[in-house]
Amino acid sequence: MADPMEDRITIELGERSYTVIAGEGLLDRICEVVPAATATQIAIITDGTVGPLYVPGLAASLRDAGVPVVAIEVDPGEASKDLPTVALLLDFLAETNLTRNDLVVAVGGGVVGDLTGFVASIFKRGVRVIQVPTTLMSQVDSAIGGKTGVNLPQGKNLVGTFHQPIAVLSDITTLNTLPDRQLASGLAEVAKYSFLRPDLWDKPLGQSAADLRGRDRVELIRVVRTCSRIKGELVSRDERDTADRIVLNYGHTLGHALESATGYGERYSHGEAVAVGMVFAAIVSEMTGRSEPGMRQRHADTLAPLGLPVRPFEPAPSFGDILAAMRHDKKSGGDLVMVLLAGEGKPVVARQLDESILEKCYHLLLEGV
Ligand code: NAD
Ligand code: GLY
């Protein structure tokens, strides 16, 4: 098992390989870990909540190293992941005269990371980007792997690119200011990694739930590093998401459908929807005979102590609405595709699932454990 105290994780992608550094107090040390010297200018993109908290310190470190820094804030929240905001940011980079040798730094959660990565990938046909994720969700998932994108009115993440960062700096100190609900949302993705790769965890996640919710620094560092390693392995094997990487979608088929059927509003955080989606996937795994009975219960026993729902909030969408949303999922290509578990640590991709079985499983989900 990899040493959870090792703070550097290499994402192996040949000449585009990069390092994820996960630990404490890293923002002040950004110059030690990023090649600021090779840029004549750095543009920081952040949001209106994260900017005032973390950008002054980060910018001061960079300026102390002699690199001019400019910064721009977008409105916090998913609504900023859109094309008008992309246009605004491109204007900003052009006005700043950012060159192709310069750097863009994304400081924020997954919204800022996805948006900034996308803008960096298209400005002057691509400039380098460093991801500085400040939510647990972004530290364990979205900042790593190079998927960038924005939403269209027709759906989420419909416009995007693959653009790997040149470094990821995950400072868990930033999680101290994260609202509880956002922390729990990230813990859903952590739980996903624990179901996919239980062999990489030295103890069951449920045993760390209270410490994680209490923001115990040692536990947070351990999970951010372990998840970064798991994601990194999958990205190295399948950068373009044509094979193995799909298992990262565990819990996301129903999760995305819940988010879509409820209008991507405040009703579900992404992690809450994924948590319910993983319980659903566990039920489908059991009901289709892929896994032994008990999978659903083990999921609930892991997720509930993390502060996550294990059934849809009331009033729940009808199965008809859920089915329609699942069919529209970008991954489905018209078929119903779900990642299931043939046992913990044994993800399998199921296609053309029987709708009547899914309906039965959805009703079992609504009944609760
Ligand atoms: P987010 O970026 O909206 O951040 C959540 C909220 O927390 C925002 O209001 C933000 O301002 C605030 N915030 C961020 N860091 C903070 C901090 N340290 N202290 C206080 N407040 C802070 O949400 P998220 O959950 O980080 O990311 C969700 C987005 O990530 C979605 O758009 C999703 O599609 C995307 N995503 C992308 C990938 C990928 O592979 N690219 C993977 C998973 C999710
Ligand atoms: N978050 C899913 C992926 O990066 O593939």
Side-chain angles (χ1 to χ4, degrees):
M1 188 178 299
D3 177 4
M5 287 304 116
E6 175 56 61
D7 72 349
R8 285 170 191 250
I9 297 136
T10 303
I11 312 300
E12 301 283 358
L13 286 167
E15 61 184 17
R16 286 173 296 106
S17 297
Y18 56 96
T19 305
V20 177
I21 304 168
E24 293 175 281
L26 298 174
L27 293 191
D28 298 338
R29 293 172 38 210
I30 187 164
C31 294
E32 291 172 34
V33 293
V34 299
T38 64
T40 53
Q41 187 163 219
I42 291 185
I44 296 177
I45 298 177
T46 185
D47 75 26
T49 300
V50 177
L53 291 170
Y54 299 111
V55 168
L58 192 76
S61 305
L62 292 166
R63 288 192 184 110
D64 286 352
V67 191
V69 178
V70 291
I72 185 169
E73 290 176 1
V74 299
D75 291 336
E78 189 72 24
S80 285
K81 243 178 79 167
D82 65 359
L83 288 173
T85 310
V86 169
L88 179 100
L89 292 173
L90 291 172
D91 271 352
F92 170 74
L93 297 182
E95 292 294 327
T96 305
N97 288 322
L98 202 84
T99 73
R100 288 194 68 193
N101 293 325
D102 291 336
L103 272 175
V104 178
V105 179
V107 185
V111 164
V112 165
D114 282 10
L115 179 64
T116 304
F118 181 59
V119 167
S121 73
I122 58 174
F123 184 70
K124 299 193 175 174
R125 299 202 177 86
V127 294
R128 295 173 299 168
V129 63
I130 290 172
Q131 294 282 350
V132 181
T134 63
T135 60
L136 186 59
M137 171 73 63
S138 52
Q139 293 186 355
V140 299
D141 190 349
S142 61
I144 304 167
K147 277 191 186 173
T148 83
V150 295
N151 307 323
L152 292 180
Q154 293 87 340
K156 223 172 120 68
N157 295 328
L158 289 186
V159 180
T161 56
F162 286 94
H163 187 61
Q164 299 293 342
I166 60 164
V168 178
L169 203 62
S170 294
D171 189 337
I172 62 112
T173 323
T174 61
L175 302 180
N176 288 333
T177 54
L178 196 63
D180 286 344
R181 192 176 178 199
Q182 294 298 339
L183 185 80
S185 182
L187 288 173
E189 299 288 354
V190 174
K192 177 187 77 179
Y193 289 111
S194 80
F195 297 138
L196 292 176
R197 291 295 305 272
D199 56 310
L200 292 183
W201 299 79
D202 51 12
K203 58 182 170 184
L205 189 59
Q207 283 182 21
S208 313
D211 287 338
L212 286 166
R213 292 180 77 186
R215 296 164 208 246
D216 178 274
R217 36 178 291 281
V218 175
E219 288 295 336
L220 284 173
I221 289 178
R222 189 173 72 91
V223 301
V224 171
R225 289 179 183 164
T226 304
C227 296
S228 300
R229 198 163 278 120
I230 298 170
K231 176 138 191 194
E233 276 180 26
L234 285 162
V235 169
S236 298
R237 287 214 302 272
D238 178 24
E239 181 185 9
R240 293 277 163 159
D241 199 9
T242 57
D244 296 4
R245 189 169 171 170
I246 195 176
V247 302
L248 289 170
N249 256 35
Y250 185 58
H252 286 58
T253 307
L254 183 82
H256 282 156
L258 284 172
E259 289 182 278
S260 157
T262 53
Y264 294 103
E266 293 294 310
R267 190 135 174 73
Y268 286 91
S269 70
H270 179 64
E272 287 166 348
V274 168
V276 177
M278 289 191 287
V279 179
F280 179 65
I283 297 172
V284 178
S285 302
E286 285 185 29
M287 294 292 288
T288 57
R290 287 177 171 85
S291 89
E292 297 293 314
M295 184 64 76
R296 174 196 192 154
Q297 189 61 52
R298 287 199 295 282
H299 275 49
D301 291 347
T302 301
L303 295 165
L306 295 172
L308 290 159
V310 294
R311 57 195 284 195
F313 297 130
E314 295 288 346
S318 69
F319 180 69
D321 288 349
I322 287 293
L323 188 64
M326 290 199 292
R327 286 206 179 288
H328 272 100
D329 196 277
K330 164 156 85 21
K331 292 260 186 319
S332 75
D335 282 342
L336 282 171
V337 181
M338 276 186 81
V339 180
L340 301 177
L341 287 184
E344 282 184 39
K346 294 181 186 155
V348 288
V349 180
R351 294 175 200 278
Q352 292 171 333
L353 283 156
D354 187 317
E355 279 174 25
S356 63
I357 290 183
L358 292 179
E359 183 167 15
K360 195 168 170 193
C361 293
Y362 187 65
H363 288 297
L364 286 171
L365 178 75
L366 294 184
E367 284 165 21
V369 178

